[in-house]
Amino acid sequence: ELAKSRDKINNDPRREEITRDIRVQEDRLKTISVKIEQDTNLRNQLRELSDEQNEIDMLEKQVAQEYEILEEKLRDASYLLQTHHESHVKITPDDPVIPLEHLLD
């Protein structure tokens, strides 16, 4: 009786269909797994780029603050500069150091 039941199940035409469906689902799982890995790598790259951008933003803010301090010090020293006929000294955000180095020459 058990052998007949086993043979009947083994000879069932749906057995091939089920095997095929399993292969199709396994292929889908592989595809999804690859996609998840690609998405994870992309997310990690974006996170790194975001961290780099945050560092750049922080440095730009720091540079702007230091430039403001430099401008303030230059204004505070304007009297001294006028007494040495150097009142024309102007700094720019692009290169605030060279005009000041000129004063040291």
Side-chain angles (χ1 to χ4, degrees):
E1 185 71 30
L2 194 56
K4 281 184 186 180
S5 180
R6 182 195 65 216
D7 291 342
K8 184 178 176 187
I9 292 172
N10 282 337
N11 292 327
D12 188 334
R14 279 218 6 99
R15 183 175 167 91
E16 243 181 73
E17 186 180 327
I18 291 171
T19 303
R20 193 174 4 185
D21 287 347
I22 289 172
R23 274 193 236 117
V24 167
Q25 295 304 325
E26 285 176 341
D27 288 346
R28 282 185 180 168
L29 284 174
K30 286 178 187 174
T31 300
I32 291 170
S33 176
V34 167
K35 178 94 172 107
I36 288 172
E37 186 175 341
Q38 290 172 342
D39 288 351
T40 300
N41 289 338
L42 182 60
R43 185 191 69 222
N44 290 339
Q45 288 174 348
L46 288 173
R47 186 175 288 136
E48 287 176 11
L49 290 174
S50 174
D51 291 345
E52 287 177 13
Q53 185 61 50
N54 288 338
E55 289 178 26
I56 290 170
D57 293 344
M58 186 175 58
L59 288 172
E60 286 177 343
K61 184 177 179 181
Q62 182 181 351
V63 165
Q65 290 171 341
E66 289 177 4
Y67 180 74
E68 287 177 19
I69 291 169
L70 189 58
E71 280 185 318
E72 185 179 321
K73 288 183 178 189
L74 189 58
R75 279 191 302 273
D76 291 347
S78 63
Y79 174 76
L80 291 174
L81 292 171
Q82 286 175 356
T83 60
H84 289 67
H85 307 292
E86 297 287 351
S87 59
H88 66 280
V89 175
K90 300 284 185 236
I91 61 171
T92 65
D94 294 333
D95 195 352
V97 176
I98 289 183
L100 299 176
E101 285 178 342
H102 169 73
L103 292 175
L104 299 175
D105 291 340

